[in-house]
Amino acid sequence: KDFYNIFINQIWRKPKHEMKWEKEFNLEVDSNWWKTKNSLIFMVTNDIQIRWFKYRIMRRILATNTFLCKIGITDSESCTFCNEYPETLNHLFWECEYTSEIWEEIHEWIKELSEIDIYMNKMDIVIGKQYKCCNILNLLLCLVKKHIYRKDV
């Protein structure tokens, strides 16, 4: 058993996508935090397409123009909406001036409808809010991200 534990501890490494998100959001979290974040979508919907979309975001495998340009599918890595910056996940879903306007409008809409001012930062929007009361909000965020990604806005 001791050899097994030593073997497992030497082999297991934190997945690259988790390390990249932690660096991007300036986090120091354990694997349980990630398990909770990854399970959010399962509490929100049974729709396979939405779950697959969220999975690709969490694993950083959702193809943006930056990636598509690297593999020769597109000519430009520029953002589809602003054409000013490289289209990364963070830019597409948070930093772009056009999508940030969408998040502002959604924030105001939620505030107007529910009379609750819900604070949403970059991590909440890209990864999801980690509160049981936020299941509907997480579904809404995921659906909006899917429409942004499909360029349906």
Side-chain angles (χ1 to χ4, degrees), residues 44 118 129-140:
V44 169
I118 298 174
K129 267 192 149 348
Q130 192 172 334
Y131 302 108
K132 289 184 180 181
C133 64
C134 293
N135 285 347
I136 293 173
L137 177 63
N138 283 324
L139 178 60
L140 176 67

Side-chain angles (χ1 to χ4, degrees), residues 138-150:
N138 283 324
L139 178 60
L140 176 67
L141 295 176
C142 198
L143 290 171
V144 172
K145 286 184 286 194
K146 191 171 182 184
H147 283 282
I148 290 170
Y149 183 73
R150 291 177 51 191

Side-chain angles (χ1 to χ4, degrees), residues 3-64:
F3 287 113
Y4 175 78
N5 289 333
I6 291 170
F7 184 68
I8 292 299
N9 288 334
Q10 287 179 349
I11 291 180
W12 186 86
R13 289 187 177 88
K14 187 175 277 204
K16 285 184 181 180
H17 66 274
E18 290 178 9
M19 291 190 298
K20 286 181 179 181
W21 283 126
E22 288 176 21
K23 183 179 178 186
E24 198 143 334
F25 295 129
N26 198 22
L27 298 171
E28 287 187 34
V29 294
D30 62 1
S31 60
N32 289 329
W33 188 86
W34 281 108
K35 285 180 187 174
T36 305
K37 286 290 189 181
N38 286 321
S39 67
L40 286 176
I41 196 65
F42 294 99
M43 292 182 257
V44 169
T45 184
N46 289 330
D47 187 286
I48 299 300
Q49 289 181 338
I50 296 171
R51 285 182 174 182
W52 173 238
F53 179 75
K54 178 69 173 175
Y55 177 86
R56 291 184 295 163
I57 292 172
M58 294 298 290
R59 296 292 189 269
R60 301 178 73 96
I61 58 172
L62 189 69
T64 59

Side-chain angles (χ1 to χ4, degrees), residues 106-121:
I106 287 174
H107 178 260
E108 291 301 317
W109 178 71
I110 292 170
K111 189 175 169 181
E112 183 180 306
L113 233 73
S114 65
E115 298 179 2
I116 299 171
D117 192 8
I118 298 174
Y119 173 75
M120 293 184 292
N121 61 24

